[in-house]
Amino acid sequence: MGEAQARIGSGGEMKRVVGALAAGLMLALFPATAEAKPAAKAAARDWTHVFGVTPEGGFRMGNPKAKVAIVEYASLTCPHCRHFDQTAMKPLLSQYVRTGKASYEFRSFVLNGIDLAATLLARCNGPAHFFPTAEQLYATQSEWIDRITKLPKEEQDKLNALPDNELMLAIAKAGGILPIAAAHGIPGARAQACLKDEAAPAKLLNMKKSATDLGVQGTPTIFVNGKQVAAYDWATLEPFLKESGG
């Protein structure tokens, strides 16, 4: 063999070297096994979009198996209930209910005829529509109550003379609360049917009787894990939630 041939080597050897280099290049450009990317973390569930009706007839929001269960007996015409709604609900929902640590249940404790009409309307389409409707009814409470209580005596007498299956609808119309319900998914025809339902008031009165049997005397009355607590706003409620493991 000549010197040039010795440097280059035989044709077969040259092919093996080129093949090895080519294979190495391919491995460098395209690794046989790509590095696995970490799986994206699943978004945490927002429990404020989970609703249910309890055996007691209350409307619940949140994780039904939450460690902390809050029950509020309340009236839509009660100013103290409005105060609780406006001071406690936002932190309660964002810090406890949304994460699944607590559930919140609203049980109606009807105080008067105006309250009965508003409650029948708010409850009309179930809990998913009840909560936003109740929130707006609280926010505008003094306005719609005043429209009814400040009616001239003749108009009030006409209302009181109506048969039961017409009275609730008339009160709701006088207070101007049908549009509030419609804005939160309770259309007019459905609202009228609920307000004329002669069996519905009895269910609410039974809920109130069950509450009084538990010792509820006024509104709002709050229970945390079955125990009545002295809470009327966020500052007074949160310590009970922490004490209960929230």
Side-chain angles (χ1 to χ4, degrees):
M1 252 188 202
E3 185 179 346
Q5 288 176 314
R7 286 200 301 269
I8 296 173
S10 63
E13 184 182 353
M14 187 64 173
K15 288 180 181 179
R16 286 195 298 273
V17 172
V18 171
L21 289 173
L25 180 61
M26 291 296 289
L27 286 170
L29 292 175
F30 305 102
T33 307
E35 183 180 352
K37 294 182 179 179
K41 186 177 180 180
R45 184 172 191 177
D46 184 348
W47 286 97
T48 61
H49 298 304
V50 177
F51 306 99
V53 181
T54 66
E56 295 78 10
F59 285 169
R60 183 184 58 224
M61 178 194 302
N63 180 2
K65 296 181 180 180
K67 189 173 183 180
V68 181
I70 302 143
V71 175
E72 178 188 7
Y73 287 92
S75 157
L76 294 176
T77 57
C78 159
H80 297 295
C81 301
R82 180 191 66 214
H83 176 74
F84 182 84
D85 180 82
Q86 294 179 339
T87 60
M89 289 308 295
K90 187 174 180 179
L92 171 60
L93 297 185
S94 63
Q95 297 176 35
Y96 287 85
V97 177
R98 178 169 287 117
T99 61
K101 291 191 295 184
S103 64
Y104 167 77
E105 180 184 347
F106 186 107
R107 294 184 191 170
S108 298
F109 192 90
V110 175
L111 298 178
N112 50 60
I114 297 174
D115 188 17
L116 179 58
T119 302
L120 289 171
L121 182 61
R123 288 174 57 90
C124 186
N125 246 8
H129 301 278
F130 169 81
F131 288 106
T133 303
E135 182 181 9
Q136 189 170 350
L137 287 172
Y138 276 136
T140 58
Q141 187 187 79
S142 60
E143 299 170 23
W144 55 269
I145 291 178
D146 281 354
R147 291 191 196 106
I148 301 167
T149 57
K150 293 182 178 180
L151 283 171
K153 185 179 182 303
E154 308 80 57
E155 294 298 319
Q156 292 187 26
D157 289 342
K158 287 180 182 179
L159 281 179
N160 291 325
L162 290 172
D164 291 345
N165 64 341
E166 294 181 22
L167 179 59
M168 294 298 101
L169 175 58
I171 290 174
K173 286 182 175 179
I177 58 177
L178 290 171
I180 292 176
H184 297 291
I186 306 173
R190 173 67 178 160
Q192 292 195 34
C194 290
L195 289 162
K196 290 182 176 182
D197 182 355
E198 294 184 19
K203 294 177 182 178
L204 291 174
L205 293 178
N206 286 337
M207 192 185 304
K208 182 175 183 179
K209 182 181 183 306
S210 297
T212 56
D213 290 345
L214 288 174
V216 177
Q217 297 179 342
T219 56
T221 298
I222 312 296
F223 285 77
V224 176
N225 288 349
K227 180 182 177 181
Q228 185 173 337
V229 299
Y232 49 87
D233 57 16
W234 181 241
T236 52
L237 175 63
E238 189 178 25
F240 293 109
L241 304 185
K242 291 181 175 179
E243 182 182 303
S244 300

